[in-house]
Amino acid sequence: MSTTHNKAASTPDATTGSRHTVPGSPKAPGKPGILGTSGTPGASGKPRTPNASENSRVPAEAPAGISATPGTAPVRGWRHTAAWTYLIMLLSSLAALIVSFALSAETLQLARHPHQQLSCDISSAVSCSTVAQSWQAEFIHFAGMSFPNAFFGIAAESVFVTVAVLGISRIAVPRWFALCTWLGGLAALLYAYWLFTQSMYVINALCPWCLGLMFATTVQFMSLTHATVCIQRIPSPSSSAGRVLRTYYRLNIDLLADAVWIIILITLILAKHGSVLLR
């Protein structure tokens, strides 16, 4: 039996006289034909499944489309989708646009009839005409002309409505465009808050339309920031700021922060004019 086996394993070449190995013959460990890793064919030609000890040494791979770097995976959940974040932005931008049109109409009405009361003149503390006749209502001048703030609101909110529609439609935009949109939202928010503080503490009169515009701009900025972080991935998820912000939204901390934000604004209004508003 030993002689027969050796003959099967090694036979002479008819032309050269050299000996070659017959395929399928036993080979030394570590040579081709012996399984050392999963899926390598052995002597029988069939792949061998690695045992538990071998599996423990194989590094786990991240699922397709998901980064294996901690903190960079997409933020999951319906609240963090493009449909939801940009829908909230669209609704708040539409509300701000409607308010801007109403303010523009009131401004034109006041220009035609300077001594006529407006529909939102309720008292000395709640008066649109008092705010509209202040220099803060038209503090932007160009070529000797002044422009009411409401006109800029119409232009700006039209842009934000368009951006929200693009987001809902899942149309990809360049990173510079998304960043400029967020900076524009921040500028609109700061502008609205400057007018709010001027109305509250300098003019000492509240404009209902202006308050509506301020709250709509606040919600608009909240949703725009949410979409910029979770959908546009700005800042980069691999950066420290990106990881912190994505964790902030992943844990839904933004819901608490936004609620506190709105409550603070309402508290400021009631602290200043609560005695008039609650009568």
Side-chain angles (χ1 to χ4, degrees), residues 15 20 53 125 151 185 219 224 237:
T15 58
H20 64 276
S53 62
F151 292 176
V219 177
L224 174 59

Side-chain angles (χ1 to χ4, degrees), residues 2-14:
S2 175
T3 304
T4 304
H5 180 77
N6 289 337
K7 287 182 178 180
S10 179
T11 60
D13 190 289

Side-chain angles (χ1 to χ4, degrees), residues 99-111 113-138 148-150 195 198-199 203-213 277:
V99 171
S100 296
F101 275 115
L103 277 171
S104 299
E106 296 283 7
T107 301
L108 294 176
Q109 179 70 14
L110 187 63
H113 308 283
H115 303 291
Q116 181 179 344
Q117 283 192 338
L118 301 177
S119 60
C120 51
D121 289 337
I122 301 174
S123 64
S124 59
V126 183
S127 174
C128 290
S129 59
T130 302
V131 176
Q133 291 174 341
S134 65
W135 67 266
Q136 291 92 334
E138 298 181 6
N149 298 329
L195 294 173
Q198 292 292 306
S199 175
I203 304 173
N204 288 315
L206 293 177
C207 169
W209 290 118
C210 300
L211 290 178
L213 181 61
L277 296 175

Side-chain angles (χ1 to χ4, degrees), residues 172-224:
V173 297
R175 287 178 64 85
W176 67 264
F177 183 87
L179 179 59
C180 288
T181 302
W182 184 85
L183 292 175
L186 177 62
L189 181 72
L190 295 177
Y191 189 28
Y193 279 15
W194 178 79
L195 294 173
F196 170 67
T197 55
Q198 292 292 306
S199 175
M200 284 270 292
Y201 303 107
V202 179
I203 304 173
N204 288 315
L206 293 177
C207 169
W209 290 118
C210 300
L211 290 178
L213 181 61
M214 186 265 297
F215 279 108
T217 305
T218 300
V219 177
Q220 171 188 276
F221 181 74
M222 292 174 178
S223 57
L224 174 59

